[in-house]
């Protein structure tokens, strides 16, 4: 196949021409002076300490020491607001904080933090929205607020997760609780 590049054999042989070089010139490497990463007041040290606190909180949660995890996650959220650690890092800490609150039956805090997390979440990211709605649905379930739980679960199902049977089971149980509460209210009338 002809590419019509008009190349000669001489183009591929080494030539006697060498690039410019001065044999008398000395090689002097460029020295980079230490800058921000050597500074004692480095803000990355604080970010690293916040990350280490988060990992300690994760470890406490894994060991089922939920009270300690709550304290550490709350510290991470507080310190993250002081230092620029990134929105994703704060979101993850708040998610874990809500899960810890749910494990310790601190339902009011779990509900308020999960609602805050939902406002913090960008709606364009479906995964984050679904995680927030799931946490909110769990908090509503534990607080026995079936109508709010139904709203969260139907929102998750509408966000293209209709093939997960667990969501449908949870939705059915929420409707069952909602129906039982309505039947009780009719009996009292």
């Amino acid at each position: 196949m002809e590419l019509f590049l008009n190349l000669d054999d001489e183009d591929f042989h080494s030539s006697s021409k060498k690039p410019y070089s001065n044999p008398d010139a000395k090689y002097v490497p460029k020295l980079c002076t230490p800058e921000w990463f050597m500074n004692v007041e480095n803000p990355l040290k604080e970010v690293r300490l916040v990350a280490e606190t988060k990992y300690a909180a994760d470890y406490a949660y894994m060991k089922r020491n939920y009270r300690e995890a709550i304290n550490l996650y709350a510290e991470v959220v507080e310190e993250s607001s002081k230092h620029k650690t990134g929105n994703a890092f704060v979101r993850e800490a708040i998610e874990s904080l809500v899960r810890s609150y749910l494990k310790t039956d601190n339902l009011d805090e779990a509900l308020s933090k999960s609602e805050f997390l939902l406002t913090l979440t960008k709606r364009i990211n479906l995964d984050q929205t679904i995680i927030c709605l799931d946490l909110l649905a769990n908090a509503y379930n534990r607080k026995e607020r079936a109508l709010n739980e139904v709203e969260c679960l139907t929102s998750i199902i509408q966000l293209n997760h209709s093939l997960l049977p667990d969501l449908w089971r949870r939705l059915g149980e929420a409707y069952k609780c909602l129906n039982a509460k309505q039947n009780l209210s009719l009996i009292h009338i």
Side-chain angles (χ1 to χ4, degrees):
M1 179 162 117
E2 182 66 36
L3 297 177
F4 302 106
L5 297 177
N6 297 327
L7 298 174
D8 292 329
D9 288 339
E10 296 169 2
D11 293 333
F12 298 103
H13 294 295
S14 63
S15 67
S16 60
K17 295 180 185 177
K18 291 186 178 179
Y20 172 75
S21 64
N22 184 358
D24 297 330
K26 294 181 180 177
Y27 174 72
V28 179
K30 182 179 178 180
L31 297 176
C32 296
T33 58
E35 293 179 22
W36 59 271
F37 50 86
M38 298 298 286
N39 189 358
V40 176
E41 298 297 322
N42 185 358
L44 290 179
K45 287 184 180 180
E46 285 85 14
V47 172
R48 191 177 315 122
L49 289 175
V50 171
E52 289 173 1
T53 306
K54 165 121 179 20
Y55 298 140
D58 290 341
Y59 184 73
Y61 184 89
M62 184 189 73
K63 291 291 187 180
R64 295 188 172 132
N65 189 352
Y66 301 118
R67 301 273 182 217
E68 181 183 352
I70 287 172
N71 294 334
L72 291 171
Y73 285 130
E75 183 180 333
V76 168
V77 172
E78 181 182 324
E79 290 296 318
S80 295
S81 64
K82 294 178 186 175
H83 311 291
K84 297 188 177 193
T85 57
N87 193 20
F89 195 78
V90 174
R91 281 192 77 267
E92 188 178 336
I94 295 173
E95 281 176 28
S96 301
L97 184 61
V98 169
R99 294 183 203 292
S100 298
Y101 281 139
L102 287 172
K103 293 287 187 180
T104 59
D105 292 329
N106 193 344
L107 303 179
D108 293 328
E109 283 294 321
L111 193 59
S112 68
K113 290 292 184 189
S114 57
E115 287 172 346
F116 172 71
L117 185 62
L118 189 60
T119 61
L120 185 69
T121 300
K122 295 177 182 171
R123 300 300 176 171
I124 192 93
N125 191 334
L126 288 180
D127 289 338
Q128 290 177 358
T129 304
I130 288 168
I131 289 170
C132 293
L133 287 170
D134 187 51
L135 287 172
L136 201 55
N138 285 331
Y140 284 137
N141 180 330
R142 300 283 298 279
K143 286 200 58 103
E144 297 179 358
R145 290 173 55 183
L147 185 60
N148 298 101
E149 182 186 6
V150 166
E151 290 174 0
C152 290
L153 291 172
T154 53
S155 295
I156 293 172
I157 290 170
Q158 289 172 350
L159 288 172
N160 205 14
H161 279 73
S162 60
L163 299 177
L164 297 175
D166 184 57
L167 289 175
W168 290 102
R169 179 192 56 79
R170 288 171 55 194
L171 184 62
E173 289 173 358
Y175 272 122
K176 183 179 176 183
C177 290
L178 190 62
N179 191 22
K181 286 182 181 182
Q182 285 180 348
N183 288 339
L184 285 176
S185 66
L186 291 175
I187 292 173
H188 292 291
I189 295 178

